[in-house]
Amino acid sequence: MQLTTVKHKIKCEMGTCKNNATHSIKMDRVGIRSQIHICDDCLHELYDIVAQAIVPKSIETAKRKGGK
């Protein structure tokens, strides 16, 4: 999956958004409609939703293995 900048004037494809798209999400191994054009506002909202659903695991503190 790749995130690219849109060079042409294209409308955002997220719901009923009427803004112009600034980015395009290109997916691998998909048919004719392999891109989703998205504006900055919708991209930030999508990022917030994904960040709530997927939380990275914290790094465990290093502990000694086997002690005396």
Side-chain angles (χ1 to χ4, degrees):
M1 199 175 284
Q2 297 175 348
L3 182 67
T4 58
T5 304
V6 174
K7 297 176 184 173
H8 305 289
K9 186 176 179 181
I10 301 172
K11 292 286 185 186
C12 179
E13 296 177 345
M14 299 302 287
T16 59
C17 182
K18 299 195 187 270
N19 296 333
N20 286 328
T22 55
H23 292 86
S24 181
I25 301 171
K26 183 177 180 184
M27 295 166 277
D28 298 332
R29 292 186 262 156
V30 180
I32 296 171
R33 299 276 298 170
S34 64
Q35 293 183 356
I36 298 173
H37 304 292
I38 189 168
C39 67
D40 282 334
D41 296 335
C42 293
L43 186 63
H44 286 290
E45 189 174 340
L46 181 64
Y47 176 76
D48 291 338
I49 292 170
V50 170
Q52 290 174 2
I54 301 173
V55 179
K57 294 180 181 178
S58 63
I59 298 173
E60 296 288 327
T61 56
K63 295 181 182 177
R64 274 191 194 171
K65 292 184 179 180
K68 291 183 177 181

